[in-house]
Structure formats: C-alpha cells, structure tokens
Amino acid sequence: MPASPSTARAINDRLALRLLQQQGSLTAGQLKQLTGLSRPTVADLVERLTGAGLIAVVGEAGEQRRGPNAKLYGIVADRAHLTALDVRTESVSVIVSDLVGTVLAEASAPIGDDTGTGPAVEQAVALVERVVKEAGADRLHTVGIGAPGLIDPASGELRDSTGLPEWHRSLVAALQERLPEARVIVENETNLAALAEQRDGVAADRDTFVLLWLGHGTGAAVVLDGALRRGASGGTGEIGFLPVPGTTGLPSAVDCEGGFHSLAGSAAIVELARSFGLLVEDASAPEPLAAGVVGKAVALVAGNAEAGVGTVAAAGRPEHEARAAASADRFLDTLADQLAVGAASVVAILDPGCVVLGGEVGQAGGGVLAARVQERVRRMSPLATVVRPSGLGGAAVLRGALLTARDAAQDELFAPRDR
C-alpha cells in the first residue's frame, strides 16, 4: 500500500536527519541529490525541520557563498545533551556529549573495593554531576550506562549478580532518581563494546561476528545478521562460565572459576606470563595487568627490546633481551592456545565468520596475538574464521554507551510529530 502523505513526510524527515548525522552539514541541493527527492519536497522538509528546532543554517557553501542555495544546514547539536558511563568493578568513567556525539567533557575516578555501597554511589553520581557542569549542560536527555553483569531482557535492568559490587545496581537507581528528566539506559559492557566495534571499529564490514572481551574478566557479545543477541535471560555471551579443558575443575552457577575465565581472565594471563619468567613490575596502571604484559611481550617478539627492559624481562636476567624475547614468544603461543579453546567453541556453535579479540588485552595483543589465535582456530574448526584485534580496546564500552544514548535520543527527537 502506498504511504499516506503524513507517513511519507515522516520517512523523508528521518532520511534527511540521518544524512545530516552521517555526512555533516549539507545544502538543500545536496540533500536533494542524496535523497533523490524533488526540490519542492526537500524545501518542505527543510522548513519543517527548521521550524521544529532540529536543524538550522550553520554556514554557506559554494564559490559565491550567498543566496538560498548556498545555505548549509546542520543538526542543532545543543538540542540535547547526553551522558555515557563505563562502570567497572573499581572505577567509573563519564563523558558528556551533544546530540551529534561531540564530546564536551570527560573524566574518570577510581572507586576502591572497600568502599561501601552508599559512598561508592555518591562518588559516582558526584563525578557525573561534575562532568555535566564542566560540559555546560543544563539538563541531560539520555544517559547510557555500560556495566558488567546480566541485563534483564524484560525490564532492561541490571540483575543482581554474584561477585559484582552492589553499588552498580544502586547507581543505576540513583541516577534515575537524581536525573528524573533523563532517560537512563543500562547495557552489558561487552555488548556495548561490540556495538562500538561494529559502528566505528574493526567489525564495520561485518553484520555477523562475535567479540571476545578480554579485560579484567572475560565475556562475549554475539551479533548475528546485524542484530545483537541477548538470549532468553540476557545471558548470551557469558563465556567465562564455558566449561573447557585445561582448567582444574568445572564452573558453578555462582563462580566461573574452572571455566574459560580461568584461561583468559587477567589474573590467569598474568600467572601464565610469570610461568614463562615474564615479570610485571608496574601494578599501578589502570588497565588490567594482563594488557601490560601482553603488550610488552608483543613488543619483545617484534624486536623492540628496549620496550621490554624494566617492565617485562626474563626473570633475574633483564640484560639478556634475546632470552626475554624467546620467553615472550612461547608465552604468546600458549596464550593463543588458551584463547583458541574458547574462540573455537563459539565458532563451532555460531559460525560467525569473524571473531574480534576485544578489551584492553585484545588491543594490546594486536595483530600478533590475533594471527596466532586465528591459526589455531582454523586448525580446530572447518569453518572459515578471521580473528581481528580490537580497534578500540577498553574505550569501546564508553563509545558504545554514547552511541546507545545518542541513538535513543535521536529516535525520540527525530520521531514524526503531528503537524
């Protein structure tokens, strides 16, 4: 059935707004060319969107730089302000942006594991309020939160999970109470990382892939046919609980020790590095220790001996750089063996065609680690699979949270209105 006039107008408006989001400022002539709409139709939609306060003239284009055809239109960026949070076990990071995603202010703060629930929530909320003030935002339209744990698919709320701080769930509730005008959206951190890699990272050319999160802990996100899959209880991707060979036991419903986490978690990777005589001397870095040791091991293998001295070196013999590089090479081989166990299991079930090694560890391992994992997966599975290192690392969670907040805000603000 043909669209009604009002439906056609709404479709055209959304198309123009998406083009302005993707392409930046455009003239009416450029909108006509990109949309394929007639000149009168484009003129009407420009008038509607300008009257609604969604777009405005932001400059002029062309050699003459004058006249109606030279006017450049852009989305009114300060029509709404957005906030994104990356909530970790012992820290929280915050960014505030405008409607088109330009970051206006950002900050991070540690939250000690001995901090009580109430004080931890107050620290996190105070950080949000400070960053919002620095950004010059009067009010927030949408807040996107990335956190570890399960998201209830029915309520959209963070579920109570064993081993995760209670202040995570309390923070979500506190933000909803303290920011009553804002929409608060919470999503699993690994799912947000996959969204960011799909939109802005190494999976931009894929509509089906799996992201293995390798940070302090482990996780996975599954994207099939362009859609993120969450599962019946929101638990798709809880790969840390996957029973695998090479561990000392089996995981339980309340503890992933004995599962894939025992091979791929940060503590397991650091312990593996030590077994090869590789030492981590700086434990004060905010990133997982595993990311530091993997990154330095890659540098050693690549021949950058100077990068290894003092941080990752042969135990007791830092002057023997060749030995350190050989140890690093064996360490990376064994780590690839362990990661491939989980990756091959996912490939056997889902056949995603692409596995992204995400998180800080995946980014630190780069192409060197990804190539080794890919080689092993291809030996273990008949299903053709490429393995890629993360392009965004730990920053993917915050980026994904911002994209989620921006999409939600634009969906509401760009929605058709009765005229």
Side-chain angles (χ1 to χ4, degrees), residues 74-418:
I75 292 175
V76 178
D78 61 0
R79 174 67 184 272
H81 289 98
L82 320 169
T83 292
L85 285 77
D86 179 3
V87 179
R88 303 290 179 99
T89 303
E90 298 180 0
S91 67
V92 61
S93 298
V94 180
I95 58 176
V96 175
S97 82
D98 59 24
L99 183 58
V100 297
T102 301
V103 175
L104 305 175
E106 57 187 315
S108 299
I111 296 180
D113 56 6
D114 58 347
T115 306
T117 298
V121 170
E122 284 304 314
Q123 288 180 31
V125 173
L127 180 67
V128 171
E129 292 174 340
R130 176 167 67 83
V131 178
V132 169
K133 183 177 180 180
E134 291 175 357
D138 295 330
R139 60 182 293 271
L140 295 176
H141 185 282
T142 307
V143 179
I145 303 173
L150 301 178
I151 308 299
D152 189 312
S155 66
E157 296 179 353
L158 187 64
R159 291 169 52 184
D160 188 13
S161 300
T162 303
L164 294 176
E166 174 60 30
W167 66 266
H168 285 188
R169 297 180 73 242
S170 299
L171 173 60
V172 175
L175 287 172
Q176 289 174 330
E177 180 179 350
R178 299 272 279 268
L179 303 170
E181 296 181 344
R183 178 184 180 187
V184 179
I185 304 170
V186 61
E187 178 60 274
N188 174 267
E189 59 179 355
T190 307
N191 287 344
L192 291 178
L195 171 65
E197 293 287 0
Q198 184 184 34
R199 298 272 286 272
D200 298 332
V202 298
D205 62 336
R206 294 277 177 168
D207 63 358
T208 296
F209 70 98
V210 168
L211 180 137
L212 290 185
W213 179 263
L214 304 172
H216 286 290
T218 57
V222 177
V223 177
L224 300 178
D225 299 324
L228 186 68
R229 306 297 180 177
R230 293 178 174 83
S233 62
T236 295
E238 287 296 316
I239 196 171
F241 288 88
L242 179 71
V244 292
T247 65
T248 57
L250 291 173
S252 71
V254 296
D255 190 353
C256 58
E257 284 300 319
F260 182 60
H261 175 81
S262 296
L263 298 181
S266 181
I269 294 175
V270 170
E271 188 60 34
L272 178 65
R274 289 188 176 126
S275 74
F276 282 94
L278 304 177
L279 304 180
V280 180
E281 296 182 356
D282 182 9
S284 62
E287 68 178 6
L289 289 181
V293 73
V294 169
K296 296 303 180 180
V298 168
L300 280 169
V301 170
N304 190 350
E306 182 180 355
V309 173
T311 306
V312 178
R317 301 169 71 90
E319 69 277 15
H320 293 297
E321 295 159 355
R323 292 188 180 183
S327 294
D329 188 62
R330 293 194 299 273
F331 159 67
L332 290 173
D333 271 344
T334 305
L335 177 58
D337 289 340
Q338 296 183 178
L339 296 180
V341 171
S345 299
V346 170
V347 168
I349 299 297
L350 297 175
D351 187 18
C354 177
V355 173
V356 175
L357 302 184
E360 295 90 348
V361 174
Q363 186 177 46
V368 172
L369 181 60
R372 296 181 190 215
V373 175
Q374 176 175 291
E375 177 187 2
R376 287 155 176 79
V377 170
R378 289 186 173 182
R379 289 204 305 259
M380 298 166 68
S381 172
L383 308 175
T385 306
V386 297
V387 179
R388 297 174 177 175
S390 168
L392 302 171
V397 176
L398 205 53
R399 179 61 182 164
L402 180 60
L403 288 169
T404 298
R406 192 186 76 184
D407 288 351
Q410 290 184 353
D411 282 345
E412 178 182 329
L413 293 172
F414 295 175
R417 291 170 171 77
D418 294 333

Side-chain angles (χ1 to χ4, degrees), residues 44-63:
D44 286 344
L45 73 83
V46 166
E47 182 179 357
R48 281 195 303 274
L49 296 176
T50 302
L54 293 174
I55 69 172
V57 177
V58 296
E60 293 186 334
E63 295 180 1

